[in-house]
């Protein structure tokens, strides 16, 4: 297949060059990189067992990707056993249609941060179909108001300094909001409180899923996911199939390594959700629909992941925990933020873009932006060989070894 990549390269180059000259991006990323390095260094000193645990998680992820089909069947059966409803979405459109079928139109939806949601353009799709959708993560909420996409997978508004946040909030809330982070957080907290308790549906992702129990493990710090998934009567989890691991014990090991390399000694909250709320307080009869959601749905999304899993040279990319550490170490990301990306960012983002979110046309500019310096590999708890994969993608681009 012959693909003309010139148009995408030109557009991307303009965006990258503009970002590299943006003082706001430079200021915000510089602050973030310093904070990340200091915190992670301190955290790994406090919890020295973490690198060894990360090696164990590498093996868990490797085996999980080899057994993906069986784990998916087991997880779906577990969700059903827990009185939830499980769905499998082969591709992007199927995932959106299943979600819309569950939600309907004219509903209020509160949503937790999710890179899968960005991959699917979930909020935009639901809004186009007549729903009111609010991003409840502070960073995502800032970007919703600015009509921008995330610039980092963990800290989506990392490129926006507090001064610009104050401007955005002052305009939206129609009152003066000072460039003080505590005040900026306070005004969003007050606004979101009403949304949580009047929403019809809460949507979240999951950091890891235990196939044996159907337990969704969701890591957070703000407390927004706990409210967004606990207050509305319906909770929908949309999660990529690569998040599956065999057992609950495996899931907790993955979770600990994830939060440790995501800059947290311990997160504010670790949510474990396996079904709708329930009680057995009257005559020990289990009744579903107590204080939390009455309905619980899980949509397992493929969208190119199983094809990636079958590729020996790229399956390791599915081990990514989404800790975001590689981006803070990337020389290109440090001066351009998420402009070095499509939906997924950085060198690892180039691989994900090629397989699940944009195809080779969108991935090619990212592939040739990567310096293949290997700093991401040194930081990555999964030791993902991004430079090697980038080299393979370049070969496929040059020799046309890719398909629609």
């Amino acid at each position: 297949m012959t693909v003309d990549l010139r148009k995408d390269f030109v557009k991307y180059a303009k965006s990258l060059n503009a970002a590299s000259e943006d003082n706001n991006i430079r200021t915000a990323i510089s602050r973030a990189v310093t904070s990340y390095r200091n915190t992670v260094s301190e955290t790994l000193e406090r919890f020295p067992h973490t690198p060894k645990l990360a090696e164990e998680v590498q093996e868990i992820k490797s085996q999980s990707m080899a057994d993906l089909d069986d784990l998916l069947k087991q997880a779906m059966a577990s969700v059903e056993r827990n009185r939830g409803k499980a769905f499998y979405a082969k591709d992007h459109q199927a995932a959106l249609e299943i979600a819309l079928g569950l939600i309907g139109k004219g509903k209020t939806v509160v949503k937790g941060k999710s890179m899968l949601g960005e991959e699917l353009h979930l909020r935009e799709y639901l809004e186009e179909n007549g729903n009111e959708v609010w991003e409840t993560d502070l960073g995502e909420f800032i970007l919703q108001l600015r009509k921008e996409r995330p610039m980092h997978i963990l800290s989506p508004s990392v490129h926006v300094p507090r001064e610009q946040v104050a401007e955005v909030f002052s305009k939206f809330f129609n009152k003066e909001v000072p460039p003080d982070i505590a005040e900026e957080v306070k005004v969003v907290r007050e606004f979101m409180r009403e949304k949580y308790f009047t929403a019809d549906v809460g949507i979240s992702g999951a950091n890891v899923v235990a196939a044996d129990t159907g337990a969704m493990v969701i890591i957070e710090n703000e407390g927004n996911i706990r409210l967004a998934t606990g207050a509305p009567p319906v909770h929908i989890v949309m999660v990529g199939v690569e998040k599956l691991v065999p057992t609950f014990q495996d899931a907790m090991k993955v979770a600990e390594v994830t939060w440790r390399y995501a800059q947290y000694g311990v997160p504010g909250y670790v949510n474990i959700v396996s079904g709708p709320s329930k009680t057995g307080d009257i005559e020990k009869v289990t009744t579903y629909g107590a204080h939390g959601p009455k309905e619980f749905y899980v949509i397992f999304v493929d969208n190119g992941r199983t094809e990636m899993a079958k590729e020996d040279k790229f399956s390791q990319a599915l081990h990514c925990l989404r800790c975001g550490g590689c981006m803070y170490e990337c020389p290109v990301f440090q001066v351009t933020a998420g402009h070095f990306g499509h939906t997924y960012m950085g060198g690892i983002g180039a691989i994900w873009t090629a397989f699940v979110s944009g195809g080779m046309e969108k991935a090619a500019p990212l592939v040739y932006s990567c310096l293949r310096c290997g700093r991401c590999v040194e930081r990555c708890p999964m030791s993902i060989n991004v430079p090697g994969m980038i080299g393979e993608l370049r070969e496929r681009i040059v020799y046309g070894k890719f398909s629609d």
Side-chain angles (χ1 to χ4, degrees):
M1 180 187 72
T2 301
V3 177
D4 184 2
L5 302 173
R6 190 177 304 122
K7 182 179 178 181
D8 285 298
F9 267 96
V10 171
K11 182 179 178 181
Y12 171 76
K14 287 181 179 179
S15 172
L16 208 63
N17 288 334
S20 68
E21 298 171 0
D22 189 321
N23 287 329
N24 287 315
I25 289 178
R26 192 171 301 145
T27 298
I29 295 295
S30 177
R31 291 171 181 169
V33 169
T34 300
S35 175
Y36 177 83
R37 286 177 174 170
N38 291 341
T39 305
V40 171
S41 177
E42 178 189 338
T43 299
L44 292 181
E45 286 182 13
R46 286 175 58 206
F47 302 99
H49 69 280
T50 306
K52 191 69 177 177
L53 183 61
E55 293 178 9
E56 190 175 343
V57 169
Q58 289 180 30
E59 291 301 316
I60 291 170
K61 294 291 286 185
S62 180
Q63 190 59 49
S64 297
M65 293 309 99
D67 298 335
L68 197 52
D69 289 345
D70 290 339
L71 289 178
L72 177 61
K73 292 175 185 176
Q74 185 182 10
M76 293 183 72
S78 295
V79 170
E80 296 281 343
R81 191 180 304 113
N82 298 337
R83 295 296 183 97
K85 296 292 182 184
F87 301 86
Y88 170 71
K90 178 63 178 175
D91 57 27
H92 172 279
Q93 191 59 34
L96 292 174
E97 290 176 1
I98 292 169
L100 184 63
L102 296 172
I103 295 167
K105 300 185 178 184
K107 302 294 177 58
T108 298
V109 179
V110 285
K111 177 180 167 294
K113 178 171 61 186
S114 165
M115 282 309 299
L116 177 59
E118 295 296 329
E119 175 187 324
L120 301 174
H121 302 291
L122 176 63
R123 173 169 54 81
E124 294 83 354
Y125 179 81
L126 295 177
E127 288 174 336
E128 288 168 4
N129 282 277
N131 294 291
E132 176 186 330
V133 185
W134 293 102
E135 299 284 358
T136 62
D137 175 82
L138 179 59
E140 290 279 9
F141 178 66
I142 291 168
L143 299 186
Q144 182 176 3
L145 299 186
R146 284 169 61 99
K147 295 180 171 56
E148 294 178 357
R149 66 176 179 85
M151 289 287 127
H152 186 274
I153 59 173
L154 196 66
S155 304
S157 62
V158 67
H159 62 297
V160 187
R162 69 192 73 177
E163 294 81 6
Q164 286 192 325
V165 173
E167 292 175 10
V168 172
F169 285 178
S170 295
K171 181 178 180 181
F172 178 76
F173 293 112
N174 199 29
K175 65 178 182 180
E176 187 67 27
V177 178
D180 177 86
I181 295 175
E183 289 298 316
E184 291 167 342
V185 171
K186 180 182 176 182
V187 74
V188 175
R189 174 189 172 93
E190 293 171 350
F191 173 77
M192 284 295 173
R193 270 300 186 272
E194 182 262 340
K195 301 299 178 186
Y196 292 129
F197 293 100
T198 58
D200 301 290
V201 178
I203 299 178
S204 75
N207 295 92
V208 58
V209 180
D212 63 343
T213 59
M216 313 284 144
V217 181
I218 310 170
I219 305 165
E220 62 163 327
N221 284 290
E222 295 181 17
N224 62 303
I225 294 176
R226 181 158 290 196
L227 287 165
T229 62
V234 178
H235 177 195
I236 299 174
V237 178
M238 299 188 72
V239 60
V241 294
E242 83 282 3
K243 301 292 188 180
L244 288 162
V245 296
T247 71
F248 183 75
Q249 288 81 4
D250 292 333
M252 296 315 296
K253 291 175 182 177
V254 172
E256 181 178 356
V257 171
T258 300
W259 73 57
R260 199 65 41 73
Y261 282 86
Q263 200 180 351
Y264 302 107
V266 62
Y269 304 90
V270 181
N271 304 292
I272 300 170
V273 185
S274 60
S277 61
K278 59 188 177 182
T279 179
D281 285 354
I282 301 176
E283 299 182 3
K284 299 306 295 179
V285 175
T286 302
T287 304
Y288 292 86
H291 297 292
K294 298 177 180 179
E295 300 174 32
F296 179 71
Y297 304 98
V298 182
I299 305 172
F300 291 99
V301 181
D302 188 330
N303 200 33
R305 287 161 172 79
T306 54
E307 289 304 311
M308 200 193 309
K310 294 174 184 175
E311 292 247 14
D312 290 340
K313 294 181 179 179
F314 295 100
S315 61
Q316 193 192 21
L318 292 165
H319 299 186
C320 178
L321 302 180
R322 303 278 188 268
C323 71
C326 60
M327 294 171 197
Y328 292 121
E329 296 300 333
C330 173
V332 180
F333 185 90
Q334 287 177 8
V335 294
T336 62
H339 291 276
F340 175 26
H342 180 53
T343 296
Y344 295 99
M345 292 151 269
I348 187 68
I351 290 95
W352 275 79
T353 299
F355 282 92
V356 310
S357 181
M360 195 64 82
E361 293 87 343
K362 298 297 182 185
L366 312 184
V367 168
Y368 284 97
S369 298
C370 177
L371 303 180
R372 300 183 70 197
C373 65
R375 284 172 62 178
C376 57
V377 185
E378 292 180 12
R379 172 62 71 182
C380 178
M382 296 295 97
S383 301
I384 298 172
N385 183 15
V386 170
M389 296 182 201
I390 292 292
E392 176 64 22
L393 284 179
R394 288 180 183 178
E395 182 175 337
R396 294 189 182 194
I397 290 169
V398 170
Y399 294 105
K401 297 178 182 178
F402 53 89
S403 57
D404 292 307

